């Protein structure tokens, strides 16, 4: 051990990660998995190698470790100033220092070390003090110390904005020595990246649809119920049965009759019709999709089932369903403002909670069961695979048998509940990953009674008949409890205030339009000043302040934010460009002006389009409500 280096490293570590320092001092491992050897290379550089039962592995080369980092940096080209660099393997630290020294100081760097032994040895022999500086954006994840924090760092350092500039450096022989740990880390990273992509693609896909749906559905929210009032509504011994419409549902659908009155049955949107056709009326069904076809809900008993929904879902099912609607957060600023307005007039804590999801309505239904207080959740019809080349059970979609071509990359094989393999799709695999991670993180007893499809690790496999016999024991009338939940808008005063809020929509949209027009004029003025190289003049600063004031309004006013939310396609295009570098300040300001003009012009057009929606939806609704109130 080099005592000077070790004490310097520990002193720096103590300041940044005091708990780590304590672990290193106290965790004196007697049995080693391998020997970590430090020696000098032919070029007199410090190198690290692993002696694994006589087999030698050099980390980052035998001759010139620093040259490997130089070569990698050259291959990457110019690195964006807000990029994220992930380094797998701290090794002798030479490559880490090279990268930190050469990239912009604003770059986020995440170091993942799969071996506690290598990290400990490096602390004893290699100067790593530069890594523990308090003023640089470097995060470290070391297995056996803070391996569980990898996802935390992903969320801190990687977003849609810097996704395309992500860089990965894998130190030499790490994939060979620590295959399982490195593969798991990369799998988790890829899962996180895919979630970012799925979230953004979904947002873009539904942008215009969401705006249309929100204003059609706001009257239902005004007359509806909050999902917040369902929190812990269940007794602890009452299980939730989440029914999905996977192909295996056909096997055990009728067995669910034995669970009625002894559980809370929550159906997904695609499973509601098969259940009603079988004479089973679930307690709730969940719908989260803005494009769900109305045919899934066309049944005479649909209104007997409570709907858990959002303002962004399809308008046709909302109009067809005449029963209780429980609203979760629909990510609309305008709906949030309405609820906050009512909450200020009520002693209850009225809010619209979000439903954690992995992209599937079944994920949302599972989250709902947990939110309602269930300690045991039974999954039925949750195949997460193409059982018999089908995605859904009978009675949902017609003629939907899939033609599977494994060469397209859309399909893959996963473990099945019977111990073999089953084919699934990429999207279904994401939902499966979410279930497995959530079951592990939330520690909810989960029973997979699907009797087919993909294996969900962490869930207990059991037939539905046995699961009902074991867990559905006590009587419980969920519908009775749901019937007693009060409306969001429950008093005459709240009704009046809420109606005034809806009636103000046109006037507020006009204000947004005027602000956008005002901002566009300021941008024109700013551009002329830049072209005349007058960026240092007081007139430039004053104009810039006025633009900032307009932008602040657009960010804080909830109607303006609602309009902006309907323009995600434009934002999707513009956002990654905010990290571009420019040759001079003038070019950078011109680009900022161009982007600002594009957004304000889009907001102006968007506000006019939403005015048309309001005239089509809220204006006739509020007029009708006024007539009803006058008759009273």
């Amino acid at each position: 051990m080099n005592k000077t280096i070790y004490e310097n490293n520990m002193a720096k570590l103590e300041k940044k990660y005091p708990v780590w320092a304590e672990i290193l001092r106290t965790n004196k491992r007697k049995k080693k998995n391998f020997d970590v050897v430090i020696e000098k290379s032919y070029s007199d550089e410090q190198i690290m190698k692993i002696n694994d039962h006589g087999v030698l592995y050099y980390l980052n080369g035998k001759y010139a470790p620093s040259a490997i980092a130089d070569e990698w940096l050259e291959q990457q080209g110019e690195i964006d100033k807000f990029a994220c660099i992930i380094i797998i393997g701290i090794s002798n630290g030479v490559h880490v220092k090279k990268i930190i020294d050469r990239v912009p100081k604003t770059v986020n760097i995440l170091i993942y070390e799969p071996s506690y032994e290598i990290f400990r040895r490096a602390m004893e022999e290699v100067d790593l003090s530069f890594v523990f500086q308090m003023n640089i954006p470097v995060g470290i994840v070391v297995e056996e110390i803070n391996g569980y924090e990898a996802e935390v760092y992903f969320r801190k350092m990687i977003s849609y904005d810097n996704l395309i500039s992500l860089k990965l450096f894998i130190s030499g022989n790490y994939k060979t020595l620590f295959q399982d740990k490195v593969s798991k880390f990369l799998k988790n990273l890829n899962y996180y990246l895919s979630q970012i992509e799925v979230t953004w693609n979904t947002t873009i896909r539904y942008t215009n649809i969401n705006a249309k749906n929100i204003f059609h559905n706001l009257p239902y929210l005004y007359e509806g119920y909050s999902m917040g009032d369902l929190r812990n509504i269940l007794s602890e011994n009452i299980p939730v049965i989440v029914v999905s419409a996977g192909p295996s549902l056909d096997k055990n659908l009728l067995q669910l009759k034995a669970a009625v009155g002894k559980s809370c049955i929550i159906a997904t949107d695609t499973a509601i019709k098969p259940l009603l056709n079988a004479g089973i009326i679930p307690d709730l069904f969940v719908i989260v999709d803005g494009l769900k076809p109305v045919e899934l809900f066309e049944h005479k008993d649909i209104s007997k089932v409570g709907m858990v929904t959002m303002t962004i879902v399809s308008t046709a099912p909302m109009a067809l369903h005449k029963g209780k609607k429980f609203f979760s957060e629909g990510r609309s600023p305008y709906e949030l403002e309405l609820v906050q307005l009512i909450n200020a007039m009520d002693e209850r804590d009225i809010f619209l909670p979000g439903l954690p999801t992995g992209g599937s309505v079944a994920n949302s239904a599972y989250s709902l069961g947990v939110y309602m207080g269930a300690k045991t959740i039974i999954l039925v019809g949750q195949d997460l695979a193409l059982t018999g080349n089908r995605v859904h059970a009978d009675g949902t979609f017609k003629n939907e048998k899939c033609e599977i071509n494994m060469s397209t990359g859309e399909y893959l094989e996963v473990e099945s509940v019977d111990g073999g393999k089953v084919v699934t799709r990429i999207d279904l695999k994401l939902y499966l990953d979410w279930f497995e991670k959530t079951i592990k993180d939330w520690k909810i007893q989960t029973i997979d009674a699907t009797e087919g499809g993909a294996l969900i690790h962490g869930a207990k496999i059991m037939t539905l008949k046995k699961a009902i016999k074991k867990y559905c024991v006590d009587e419980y009338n969920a519908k009775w409890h749901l019937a007693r939940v009060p409306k969001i808008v429950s008093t005459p005063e709240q009704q009046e205030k809420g109606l005034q809020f809806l009636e103000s929509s046109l006037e507020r949209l006009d204000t947004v339009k005027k602000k956008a027009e005002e901002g566009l004029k300021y941008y024109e003025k700013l551009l002329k000043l830049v072209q005349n190289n007058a960026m240092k003049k007081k007139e430039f600063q004053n104009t810039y302040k006025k633009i900032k004031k307009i932008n602040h309004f657009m960010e804080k006013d909830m109607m303006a934010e609602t309009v902006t939310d309907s323009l995600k396609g434009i934002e999707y295009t513009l956002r990654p460009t905010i990290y571009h570098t420019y040759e001079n300040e003038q070019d950078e300001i011109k680009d900022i002006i161009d982007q600002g003009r594009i957004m304000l012009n889009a907001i102006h057009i968007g506000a006019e389009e939403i005015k048309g929606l309001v005239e089509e939806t809220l204006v006739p609704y509020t007029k009708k409500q006024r007539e009803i109130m006058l008759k009273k």
Side-chain angles (χ1 to χ4, degrees):
M1 179 198 292
N2 186 318
K3 192 175 180 182
T4 303
I5 286 177
Y6 176 72
E7 288 178 354
N8 186 40
N9 282 340
M10 289 297 285
K12 291 291 193 309
L13 182 67
E14 184 82 55
K15 286 184 179 179
K16 193 166 187 178
Y17 304 114
V19 175
W20 289 32
E22 185 61 26
I23 291 171
L24 284 172
R25 288 193 188 95
T26 57
N27 188 359
K28 305 290 184 181
R29 184 181 287 160
K30 293 179 181 178
K31 185 180 178 182
K32 295 182 179 179
N33 295 317
F34 45 74
D35 291 322
V36 182
V37 182
I38 306 291
E39 60 183 37
K40 292 285 186 179
S41 71
Y42 292 116
S43 58
D44 205 35
E45 289 186 56
Q46 197 175 42
I47 59 173
M48 186 179 284
K49 66 181 179 182
I50 302 298
N51 185 340
D52 186 9
H53 300 93
V55 180
L56 297 179
Y57 296 93
Y58 284 88
L59 308 182
N60 283 340
K62 185 176 181 180
Y63 301 104
S66 60
I68 293 172
D70 288 332
E71 185 181 343
W72 182 84
L73 285 163
E74 190 176 340
Q75 289 171 352
Q76 305 312 307
E78 186 176 356
I79 292 176
D80 290 342
K81 62 180 179 179
F82 291 106
C84 177
I85 298 175
I86 296 178
I87 301 171
I88 296 180
I90 203 163
S91 186
N92 63 350
V94 173
H95 58 301
V96 179
K97 191 165 193 322
K98 278 261 182 183
I99 291 170
I100 289 175
D101 288 345
R102 293 265 293 274
V103 302
K105 300 307 176 189
T106 48
V107 166
N108 287 309
I109 297 174
L110 174 59
I111 304 164
Y112 170 63
E113 178 51 64
S115 169
Y116 172 81
E117 289 163 279
I118 288 178
F119 178 70
R120 181 176 181 80
R121 193 79 172 92
M123 287 290 290
E124 294 172 348
E125 300 287 350
V126 176
D127 181 11
L128 295 178
S129 59
F130 64 93
V131 173
F132 308 124
Q133 298 296 323
M134 301 295 287
N135 60 340
I136 57 174
V138 175
I140 311 175
V141 174
V142 179
E143 290 295 344
E144 297 184 47
I145 295 181
N146 70 328
Y148 58 89
E149 289 187 336
E151 188 177 338
V152 175
Y153 279 108
F154 293 163
R155 296 191 182 281
K156 279 184 179 180
M157 295 183 168
I158 310 169
S159 66
Y160 169 74
D161 298 332
N162 66 356
L163 192 63
I164 57 174
S165 56
L166 180 69
K167 306 293 183 184
L168 178 66
F169 181 102
I170 303 179
S171 299
N173 276 320
Y174 266 77
K175 274 188 175 180
T176 303
L177 284 162
F178 313 108
Q179 184 178 1
D180 291 344
K181 290 177 180 177
V182 171
S183 294
K184 183 181 177 182
F185 178 85
L186 291 175
K187 181 183 176 184
N188 290 338
L189 173 62
N190 286 328
Y191 175 74
Y192 176 71
L193 299 180
S194 67
Q195 287 298 98
I196 293 177
E197 204 168 331
V198 166
T199 299
W200 267 98
N201 288 343
T202 302
T203 300
I204 301 314
R205 183 186 174 205
Y206 289 107
T207 291
N208 295 329
I209 295 162
N210 284 353
K212 175 178 175 289
N213 290 348
I214 285 164
F215 285 94
H216 274 88
N217 292 332
L218 271 171
Y220 298 119
L221 176 65
Y222 175 77
E223 297 179 9
Y225 303 79
S226 168
M227 196 193 88
D229 287 320
L230 302 184
R231 184 169 179 80
N232 294 327
I233 200 171
L234 300 177
S235 301
E236 285 193 7
N237 56 330
I238 300 301
V240 160
I241 301 179
V242 174
V243 185
S244 303
S248 296
L249 181 60
D250 297 334
K251 294 180 184 179
N252 50 21
L253 175 62
L254 294 176
Q255 293 173 11
L256 284 167
K257 289 184 177 181
V260 174
K262 296 181 179 180
S263 64
C264 178
I265 300 176
I266 302 175
T268 62
D269 45 20
T270 48
I272 184 67
K273 201 168 175 181
L275 282 168
L276 294 175
N277 287 338
I280 301 166
I281 298 180
D283 300 296
L284 294 165
F285 74 94
V286 181
I287 175 171
V288 297
D289 200 321
L291 290 170
K292 220 65 174 183
V294 71
E295 67 187 71
L296 293 173
F297 311 95
E298 291 174 336
H299 193 282
K300 62 182 179 62
D301 292 328
I302 189 68
S303 298
K304 293 180 181 179
V305 188
M307 174 193 278
V308 176
T309 185
M310 297 183 286
T311 56
I312 60 173
V313 305
S314 307
T315 59
M318 293 284 274
L320 181 70
H321 178 266
K322 307 299 182 185
K324 275 196 168 187
K325 295 178 176 67
F326 297 91
F327 283 85
S328 63
E329 183 186 18
R331 299 180 296 278
S332 163
Y334 208 48
E335 76 174 27
L336 177 63
E337 189 173 6
L338 173 60
V339 174
Q340 286 175 346
L341 180 73
I342 301 303
N343 190 45
M345 303 173 66
D346 203 302
E347 291 181 358
R348 296 177 295 158
D349 184 18
I350 303 171
F351 69 104
L352 303 184
L355 267 181
T357 183
S360 159
V361 65
N363 298 151
S364 299
Y366 183 95
S367 295
L368 174 62
V370 176
Y371 187 81
M372 293 174 71
K375 303 302 179 189
T376 299
I377 295 185
I378 302 168
L379 301 177
V380 181
Q382 193 57 57
D383 289 60
L384 296 165
L386 280 67
T387 310
N389 287 18
R390 293 164 62 227
V391 181
H392 295 101
D394 291 336
T396 50
F397 297 96
K398 296 176 182 178
N399 304 319
E400 54 116 36
K401 197 162 185 176
C402 298
E403 292 295 328
I404 298 173
N405 181 356
M406 296 297 287
S407 66
T408 63
E410 184 184 357
Y411 304 98
L412 65 157
E413 284 191 332
V414 294
E415 293 178 74
S416 64
V417 293
D418 61 9
K421 295 285 185 181
V422 66
V423 174
T424 190
R425 275 195 325 238
I426 295 293
D427 57 337
L428 297 176
K429 179 62 167 61
L430 286 173
Y431 311 153
L432 172 63
D433 291 342
W434 183 91
F435 270 117
E436 292 181 343
K437 186 176 187 308
T438 303
I439 290 167
K440 182 181 177 182
D441 291 348
W442 292 2
K443 298 177 172 57
I444 296 294
Q445 179 173 240
T446 304
I447 312 301
D448 186 1
T450 295
E451 300 181 38
L455 175 68
I456 303 173
H457 291 94
K460 296 178 183 178
I461 298 172
M462 193 179 292
T463 65
L464 180 57
K465 188 175 180 179
K466 285 184 179 178
I468 291 172
K469 186 177 180 181
K470 182 172 181 180
Y471 298 104
C472 302
V473 178
D474 296 334
E475 298 289 334
Y476 186 83
N477 190 341
K479 291 180 177 62
W480 184 89
H481 289 275
L482 294 172
R484 276 147 185 79
V485 173
K487 285 188 171 185
I488 294 172
V489 182
S490 56
T491 68
E493 293 78 17
Q494 290 171 354
Q495 289 171 352
E496 175 59 31
K497 201 75 172 176
L499 205 56
Q500 289 176 7
F501 174 84
L502 296 178
E503 287 170 332
S504 70
S505 299
L506 286 177
E507 185 181 342
R508 292 182 64 179
L509 282 163
D510 280 333
T511 301
V512 173
K513 279 183 65 180
K514 287 174 184 175
K515 290 284 185 184
E517 289 167 3
E518 197 179 330
L520 285 167
K521 288 177 183 175
Y522 290 141
Y523 271 123
E524 289 292 338
K525 186 175 181 180
L526 205 65
L527 182 61
K528 287 177 183 177
L529 289 166
V530 172
Q531 288 169 342
N532 293 329
N533 204 22
M535 293 175 291
K536 304 297 182 185
K537 291 186 177 180
K538 191 174 180 180
E539 188 180 5
F540 180 92
Q541 297 301 325
N542 290 339
T543 307
Y544 182 67
K545 283 178 184 177
K546 289 174 182 177
I547 287 172
K548 281 182 73 175
K549 198 172 179 180
I550 296 286
N551 290 338
H552 181 76
F553 170 83
M554 295 301 179
E555 290 170 2
K556 297 301 179 183
D557 181 81
M558 289 193 175
M559 179 58 89
E561 196 177 342
T562 299
V563 175
T564 306
D565 278 356
S566 71
L567 306 170
K568 289 296 183 186
I570 293 171
E571 187 182 350
Y572 181 88
T573 305
L574 294 178
R575 280 182 68 169
T577 67
I578 63 175
Y579 295 142
H580 284 179
T581 53
Y582 301 87
E583 290 184 6
N584 55 62
E585 185 185 11
Q586 193 175 37
D587 286 345
E588 185 173 359
I589 293 173
K590 281 181 180 178
D591 193 49
I592 291 169
I593 290 170
D594 285 343
Q595 291 189 39
R597 289 165 70 189
I598 290 168
M599 278 305 300
L600 284 183
N601 192 51
I603 287 170
H604 187 271
I605 294 168
E608 185 60 35
E609 289 180 353
I610 290 177
K611 272 188 72 176
L613 274 175
V614 170
E615 287 165 350
E616 180 188 343
T617 58
L618 297 187
V619 169
Y621 175 77
T622 53
K623 185 178 178 182
K624 184 179 178 182
Q625 289 302 114
R626 284 291 178 204
E627 291 171 357
I628 293 170
M629 289 169 80
L630 283 172
K631 287 178 182 178
K632 289 181 179 180

